[in-house]
Amino acid sequence: MTLDNCFPLAARAALLEPSSIRELGKLARNPGMISFAGGTPDPALFPTASIAAATAAILGESASSREALTYGPSEGYLPLRTSLARLMNADGMRANAENILITSGAQQALEFIATLLIDPGVRVIVTHPTYVGALQAFRLYNAELASIPQDESGLDLRSLELELAAGARFIYLVPDFANPTGLSLPLENRQAIVELCARFGVPIVEDQAYRHLTYESSPPPTLLELARRHGRAGGVIYLSTLSKVIAPGLRTGWILAPEELHRKLVMLKQASDLHGTTLAQMIAAQLAESVMATQLDGVRAAYRERRDAMLAALEKLGIPGLRWSKPTGGMFVWLTFPATMDAAQLLTYAVEEQVLFVPGAAFHADAAGQNTARLCFAAGSIASIEEGMVRLGVAFEKLHRAPDAHSASLR
Ligand SMILES: Cc1ncc(COP(=O)(O)O)c(C=O)c1O
């Protein structure tokens, strides 16, 4: 008897698909494998001692231990919401703790936004490519996804205007050090996006998962801030997470949304899981104030070096026709091969050589991008990056020697 015979599934269940990245995660656990596949920060850089000290302090005192272990407010732990508002304000925004909802990572924020905003068949604009977890969340609600190209100079404004004119429920953007490309939107491009979205009355969902992982200068103002200057702060939902700068296992993300939407989000949080884990939120609140600055200094310095190592190794590989992004922050380098080449085919050789990456098609709403790939430089040491890139070079060599049409184009 199949599961469907026992439990007739909702039509929505057919829209759930396994994540190729999570499947690669299983291979990544093979001994000797070097993985550039996961979008995971380096566990060696988690502020473990501070988390242990905060946990001991919270649980070691009776009032705070009771608070940590009983039910809490659906909006989230107020001191954490206050700290996050302060963090946003220090970054040039005007955030109010009242309008912040704590979510189980930014992923739950995306799921909630999809639940509240997407009716089957409504159009949602995303970039080409975009974060695969957003695609998963939006697809579950049967959104019609329209994607627009982005490069170093920003979003293609002509395509954006056409898509906005065709109508959309919202546009989803990762303006800083995007997953998967590592690209950021330049200031003028951000201003143009805010103006265009205001003109067509299309709200913006701004995902700032990577904004604090900056390795050169400070990034331009957020879309939320630019929209405020334009008198349109109500047209932006802002979400972010502590996953990439503190630790993803704390599952601490947040959404700052306009008043009315915030109220609905809180009701949704109740319906979903009542509230996030209070202990994790209390730990996060302590860390967000106390160790954030040193933690940021540490991860920025480490990831900057790793990014440099990966870019240098790509240069050294000297593969003709291969192009790559040069991110100024975040965790990813995006590769583009000649159009006839298939990244999935390269992956089979890479697995033989004990190195992993994510073929780029997963990040495209229309499954295009067969000739693209994402490499994460954050998760391992410089030595493992250098060794992994040598292995990747061998995989390219094997592909070149493979008796088929794809490989010829690499030379
Ligand atoms: C752009 C982006 N948004 C959201 C998330 C989800 O992060 P989390 O749920 O760990 O906070 C990720 C994780 O990789 C991401 O890359």
Side-chain angles (χ1 to χ4, degrees):
M1 191 185 272
T2 65
L3 178 68
D4 307 47
N5 289 338
C6 298
F7 296 101
L9 297 178
R12 193 180 308 116
L15 302 171
L16 287 167
E17 282 176 9
S19 149
S20 53
I21 301 178
R22 293 212 160 250
E23 294 301 311
L24 283 171
K26 290 182 199 154
L27 277 176
R29 285 190 281 278
N30 289 354
M33 186 67 85
I34 295 178
S35 179
F36 300 135
T40 324
D42 183 357
L45 299 175
F46 296 160
T48 312
S50 306
I51 293 174
T55 310
I58 293 161
L59 296 182
E61 204 262 312
S62 75
S64 61
S65 71
R66 282 183 203 163
E67 186 170 14
L69 299 175
T70 190
Y71 287 113
S74 296
E75 291 84 345
Y77 179 59
L78 185 57
L80 175 61
R81 296 163 69 211
T82 307
S83 296
L84 295 174
R86 240 182 259 143
L87 201 68
M88 290 179 68
N89 294 339
D91 187 14
M93 290 169 273
R94 309 259 172 106
N96 183 346
E98 298 273 290
N99 286 14
I100 288 180
L101 169 75
I102 305 296
T103 53
S104 174
Q107 189 61 38
Q108 189 179 48
L110 290 168
E111 212 273 327
F112 282 1
I113 287 164
T115 310
L116 282 188
L117 300 187
I118 302 177
D119 290 314
V122 305
R123 300 180 83 246
V124 171
I125 303 175
V126 296
T127 51
H128 189 80
T130 189
Y131 170 51
V132 66
L135 290 177
Q136 277 181 312
F138 302 161
R139 280 183 179 138
L140 185 58
Y141 291 87
N142 229 333
E144 186 191 316
L145 297 166
S147 42
I148 47 174
Q150 177 184 355
D151 62 17
E152 282 72 13
S153 58
L155 282 195
D156 178 36
L157 296 173
R158 181 79 199 115
S159 309
L160 176 62
E161 189 167 356
L162 288 174
E163 294 297 350
L164 289 170
R169 190 59 61 88
F170 64 89
I171 175 169
Y172 167 73
L173 293 171
V174 186
D176 289 302
F177 322 124
N179 180 0
T181 58
L183 293 177
S184 295
L185 301 175
L187 176 60
E188 313 73 61
N189 195 252
R190 290 177 198 226
Q191 282 162 333
I193 292 166
V194 166
E195 277 162 29
L196 275 172
C197 289
R199 169 139 61 89
F200 287 96
V202 173
I204 299 171
V205 173
E206 176 172 27
D207 180 342
Q208 282 291 8
Y210 298 93
R211 182 166 170 87
H212 290 285
L213 292 183
T214 170
Y215 313 138
E216 315 289 341
S217 49
S218 300
T222 60
L223 298 174
L224 175 63
E225 173 53 19
L226 292 173
R228 190 193 63 76
R229 293 180 196 170
H230 206 76
R232 281 269 305 172
V236 179
I237 302 171
Y238 180 98
L239 63 101
S240 190
T241 175
L242 296 181
S243 287
K244 311 297 177 181
V245 291
I246 294 188
L250 290 176
R251 304 307 301 129
T252 304
W254 71 99
I255 314 181
L256 178 98
E259 188 69 42
E260 200 182 323
L261 196 59
H262 172 74
R263 276 201 296 274
K264 290 281 183 201
L265 285 165
V266 174
M267 291 178 222
L268 194 51
K269 182 74 182 164
Q270 278 165 11
S272 173
D273 58 358
L274 298 182
H275 65 82
T277 310
T278 312
L279 178 59
Q281 294 182 64
M282 291 172 86
I283 296 167
Q286 289 206 10
L287 268 66
E289 296 284 346
S290 63
V291 302
M292 194 57 150
T294 44
Q295 176 65 11
L296 278 175
D297 287 347
V299 290
R300 282 176 184 153
Y303 295 163
R304 183 187 296 117
E305 279 191 347
R306 293 173 196 189
R307 177 215 45 189
D308 291 347
M310 185 169 274
L311 294 179
L314 277 164
E315 199 73 60
K316 209 163 145 194
L317 285 183
I319 292 166
L322 179 66
R323 290 180 290 123
W324 57 90
S325 62
K326 299 185 181 57
T328 55
M331 301 186 356
F332 306 108
V333 172
W334 183 244
L335 305 186
T336 307
F337 314 116
T340 52
M341 205 208 117
D342 186 5
Q345 196 186 355
L346 179 69
L347 182 63
T348 57
Y349 294 118
V351 172
E352 283 174 15
E353 294 308 311
Q354 301 263 74
V355 62
L356 294 178
F357 62 85
V358 187
F363 303 98
H364 291 78
D366 57 2
Q370 308 290 336
N371 62 324
T372 57
R374 187 191 77 177
L375 302 181
C376 175
F377 55 78
S381 65
I382 304 258
S384 72
I385 291 173
E386 287 170 348
E387 170 59 23
M389 295 306 285
V390 169
R391 294 182 190 180
L392 197 59
V394 178
F396 271 113
E397 201 48 50
K398 282 187 167 177
L399 182 65
H400 170 59
R401 280 193 261 108
D404 60 39
H406 297 309
S407 51
S409 56
L410 267 176
R411 294 278 148 176

